Amino acid sequence: MNVQYMTGIEMALPEGKLPGFYAQVIKKLASSGGIADRDKNLLFVHPDRLEAVMEILHAYKAETETGPWLLLGSSNDGWETRSLWMDYGVETRSGNLFADSQLAAAVQLKGNVEGAEIHPASMQLEEHAIALHQASRLYVIDRQLLPLAESIGKAYHCLVTEFSGKP
């Protein structure tokens, strides 16, 4: 599973523009190759392309707010979302799942010693999951629950580690 850190840019375009203005901005952004995906006015950008995208947005006088997001993959890749998903993430039109990494954390469960009890640890982590990928034992949880997730791992002789692929 290839979870990636992305930069989310929420953009607000100037008011009073003609209807085609938004489409013009999106077309310019698309041609720059900087946009990985989008959901309405929320753009997802690879961190190494952020500067180029911001230059375009500023040229169009768009107001922006940026933040870190996790690209999990798509629901077709085996990800399952739970009832609280919409409080922590979005699913784009292209089917990609993005979690706001200021609110949520992706953790992976691994057996770290002989006798590790993966199944009961997995079941407990699932209780707190916002989204999960069972085949990879990846769980997206509320960031405030990281200490709980780590203690679940310890209780079952497993290792629970936060995804650490920050740019």
Side-chain angles (χ1 to χ4, degrees), residues 38-102:
R38 68 185 178 98
D39 183 57
K40 299 177 186 138
N41 290 339
L42 181 58
L43 309 173
F44 297 103
V45 179
H46 292 283
D48 62 338
R49 301 291 299 148
L50 179 61
E51 190 174 319
V53 169
M54 292 301 282
E55 283 179 23
I56 293 168
L57 290 171
H58 289 155
Y60 283 96
K61 306 210 181 323
E63 293 182 24
T64 60
E65 187 174 325
T66 62
W69 287 74
L70 291 170
L71 168 57
L72 304 177
S74 79
S75 52
N76 295 335
D77 295 334
W79 280 96
E80 299 174 38
T81 58
R82 299 294 172 91
S83 61
L84 293 176
W85 170 252
M86 296 305 288
D87 293 338
Y88 294 86
V90 297
E91 181 172 1
T92 64
R93 279 185 168 174
S94 61
N96 287 321
L97 299 172
F98 289 87
D100 183 336
S101 67
Q102 291 178 321

